[in-house]
Amino acid sequence: MKIFILLALATAAAAVRYDGYQALRVEPRDELQLDFLNNLKNELEGRISFWSQPRTIKRPTDILVQPRFQDDIKELLDAKQIKYSVMIDDVQSVIDSQFRSEDEVEISADFIYSLYHTYAEIQAWVFDIADEYSSIAQQFQIATSYHGRAINALKISTGGGGTKKAVYWQGGIHAREWISPATVMFITKSLLERYGVDNDVTEILDTFDFYIVPSLNVDGYYHSWNFDRLWRKTRSVNRGNGCRGVDPNRNYEYEWGGEGANPNPCTETYPGPNAFSEREIADTTSFLLNANQEFVCFIDFHSYSQLWLAPWSYTARTRLPEDVEDHFDAGMKAITALESVYNTDYLYGPSALTLYAASGCSVDWGYAKLGAKYSYVVELRDMGSYGFLLPSDQIIPTGEETLEGVLALCKHMVEEYK
Ligand code: 0X9
Ligand code: ZN
């Protein structure tokens, strides 16, 4: 009996709840207001979570505020005449609406693309889709997580014995960005089902080999399903510190530990004790470097903000890469095609200049170290109505428009490389 009660208590305490938490959209007007927000962020680090960084007056900053701080924060913003609005009134109710009911789980044995899926379901999907398209697709384990979970990947190849140029796409590096794995799975199955049916897709798959990882940060993803929906980082233990996890998108070995990374392990942008400290990142990058293929494309799918970003990410204070014009041409083709589907507004630009500087990011590593000319980081929907909590009825539309975006990019690459 005692044990039972203890267990019950432990489970009740495990899941983080966000009852009454508000997401505030804050729109700084000038550098002074921006500085104020940055100071606020530093002071309240760990107590208030910034969903986006207050780095530019061109983009709003979204802040998650717990009930007991709401009055104070709003008073502060009013006093400084900083414009804000309540983006989400009760974060927990939006979270609740995202989890599937038991009925939905039982609906069908088929994979339902219009729902969010658990870690186990996504990994099973990799095996199943490889089986379904076994003449051109193959499952393989690309990495192992800190907790020993398998990180499965798909290789799509229509022949060529490894001599073709290659494309690499990954989703789910940030755990709470659920739309990312969902979108990567949607575009992957769309490519597979259109091969031999649609001329463009056939030419694309006949020109390039594809390596696709739907869910990279699997420990974080598992944690976001079972314990804290808003978890971002990995789940590794930080020595001498009670706060867990490293930001895997600050952990790449290119300009590691510079701007936009925070040495405090309790922050969301902690880059880790050293580059590639996270097994998920070390394993995937070493796979790519040893794959014996020439990678020409690297895309890391994130959410949210509707941005298509190119190098450099690590700083705005350097010359843009020599391929800047080609990055721009291909990137603009991608967002033009994407926008034409549902009129979803996207912005294209070099990462640090468009958003904020972030060092040790995948996009820079993909370009500078892997040598993939077309290296991008894509921030999927939305613009901040739901932020990381995008409702599942937007999965298919997001998939459909993103598919058109990547197809336009691939067509550009076919022209260049075929
Ligand atoms: O900060 C990140 O890792 C990415 N944004 S997210 O909200 N998905 O966490 C953006 C990385 C892109 N690089 C730069 N903005 N420099
Ligand atoms: Zn992200």
Side-chain angles (χ1 to χ4, degrees):
M1 187 60 177
K2 233 184 194 166
I3 290 171
F4 170 77
I5 293 168
L6 275 179
L7 267 179
L9 278 176
T11 351
V16 178
R17 293 192 58 87
Y18 291 94
D19 298 288
Y21 277 57
Q22 287 185 336
L24 297 186
R25 166 143 286 201
V26 184
E27 295 174 66
R29 198 181 46 218
D30 52 37
E31 294 298 322
L32 224 70
Q33 296 193 341
L34 204 60
D35 282 352
F36 175 79
L37 289 177
N38 271 307
N39 289 336
L40 194 71
K41 179 171 186 283
N42 291 340
E43 263 171 53
L44 299 178
E45 197 80 70
R47 276 178 289 168
I48 286 191
S49 151
F50 279 66
W51 278 4
S52 45
Q53 311 297 312
R55 293 280 159 74
T56 161
I57 53 172
K58 289 177 277 181
R59 315 285 299 180
T61 294
D62 301 332
I63 315 179
L64 178 70
V65 191
Q66 57 200 80
R68 66 192 170 108
F69 294 145
Q70 281 161 12
D71 287 346
D72 290 352
I73 292 282
K74 288 174 189 168
E75 245 171 59
L76 268 175
L77 294 172
D78 284 335
K80 296 283 168 193
Q81 295 180 322
I82 301 178
K83 192 176 151 202
Y84 69 87
S85 55
V86 177
M87 185 170 115
I88 303 177
D89 194 35
D90 176 26
V91 169
Q92 187 62 43
S93 62
V94 181
I95 291 176
D96 290 342
S97 67
Q98 279 198 337
F99 284 90
R100 278 170 290 154
S101 68
E102 293 297 324
D103 303 348
E104 280 176 307
V105 180
E106 282 166 25
I107 284 176
S108 143
D110 287 342
F111 192 86
I112 305 171
Y113 286 91
S114 56
L115 296 174
Y116 290 115
H117 290 275
T118 62
Y119 161 72
E121 290 167 340
I122 293 176
Q123 302 310 313
W125 172 88
V126 180
F127 285 87
D128 293 346
I129 197 107
D131 256 8
E132 194 178 341
Y133 296 95
S134 59
S135 58
I136 54 170
Q138 224 186 318
Q139 167 278 338
F140 68 101
Q141 185 176 335
I142 191 169
T144 306
S145 75
Y146 177 80
H147 282 309
R149 293 191 175 91
I151 301 171
N152 284 297
L154 208 63
K155 178 180 178 184
I156 305 174
S157 178
T158 64
T163 55
K164 290 177 182 171
K165 296 189 169 35
V167 170
Y168 174 74
W169 295 340
Q170 68 181 24
I173 191 171
H174 285 144
R176 63 191 173 190
E177 298 164 12
W178 285 10
I179 189 60
S180 164
T183 303
V184 171
M185 290 189 286
F186 181 91
I187 59 183
T188 304
K189 75 104 183 171
S190 304
L191 286 181
L192 290 168
E193 73 191 5
R194 289 187 191 184
Y195 181 66
V197 178
D198 174 299
N199 286 342
D200 285 340
V201 171
T202 308
E203 191 174 28
I204 290 165
L205 291 188
D206 281 340
T207 308
F208 304 109
D209 285 342
F210 280 74
Y211 294 84
I212 298 172
V213 182
S215 179
L216 175 59
N217 175 10
V218 291
D219 290 347
Y221 191 73
Y222 185 90
H223 194 76
S224 75
W225 264 83
N226 297 293
F227 302 106
D228 181 354
R229 174 63 186 84
L230 293 174
W231 189 259
R232 163 184 169 98
K233 299 187 286 181
T234 61
R235 289 293 300 159
S236 51
V237 167
N238 292 310
R239 270 167 150 246
N241 192 297
C243 294
R244 288 178 78 139
V246 163
D247 183 350
N249 200 31
R250 298 291 182 280
N251 194 239
Y252 284 79
E253 193 174 50
Y254 186 75
E255 296 288 337
W256 175 87
E259 291 176 50
N262 192 322
N264 176 354
C266 295
T267 63
E268 300 283 34
T269 51
Y270 175 53
N274 50 268
F276 292 161
S277 60
E278 302 314 281
R279 189 159 175 202
E280 299 80 355
I281 305 304
D283 283 3
T284 44
T285 50
S286 87
F287 171 82
L288 293 171
L289 291 174
N290 294 313
N292 223 352
Q293 293 223 242
E294 185 188 342
F295 284 90
V296 291
C297 179
F298 179 107
I299 308 182
D300 192 6
F301 290 94
H302 290 246
S303 72
Y304 60 97
S305 290
Q306 296 170 200
L307 299 163
W308 198 288
L309 304 172
W312 299 112
S313 171
Y314 73 97
T315 186
R317 294 185 286 237
T318 188
R319 285 177 55 161
L320 288 169
E322 59 179 40
D323 295 309
V324 59
E325 277 168 26
D326 288 351
H327 289 164
F328 176 84
D329 289 347
M332 287 306 285
K333 283 183 195 170
I335 68 164
T336 306
L338 189 160
E339 288 174 332
S340 73
V341 182
Y342 289 110
N343 263 318
T344 308
D345 212 10
Y346 259 71
L347 181 69
Y348 173 84
S351 298
L353 283 170
T354 309
L355 200 54
Y356 48 77
S359 55
C361 281
S362 61
V363 62
D364 287 352
W365 183 87
Y367 182 71
K369 294 283 188 174
L370 184 62
K373 175 174 171 183
Y374 293 100
S375 182
Y376 297 107
V377 48
V378 177
E379 299 274 2
L380 299 166
R381 288 192 192 188
D382 59 11
M383 284 281 242
S385 306
Y386 293 96
F388 301 117
L389 305 172
L390 194 72
S392 48
D393 62 8
Q394 291 198 42
I395 297 174
I396 303 285
T398 305
E400 289 168 337
E401 66 191 13
T402 311
L403 174 67
E404 293 309 315
V406 295
L407 288 180
L409 166 65
C410 288
K411 279 202 265 179
H412 176 98
M413 296 193 302
V414 166
E415 285 307 311
E416 183 169 334
Y417 296 113
K418 80 170 172 212

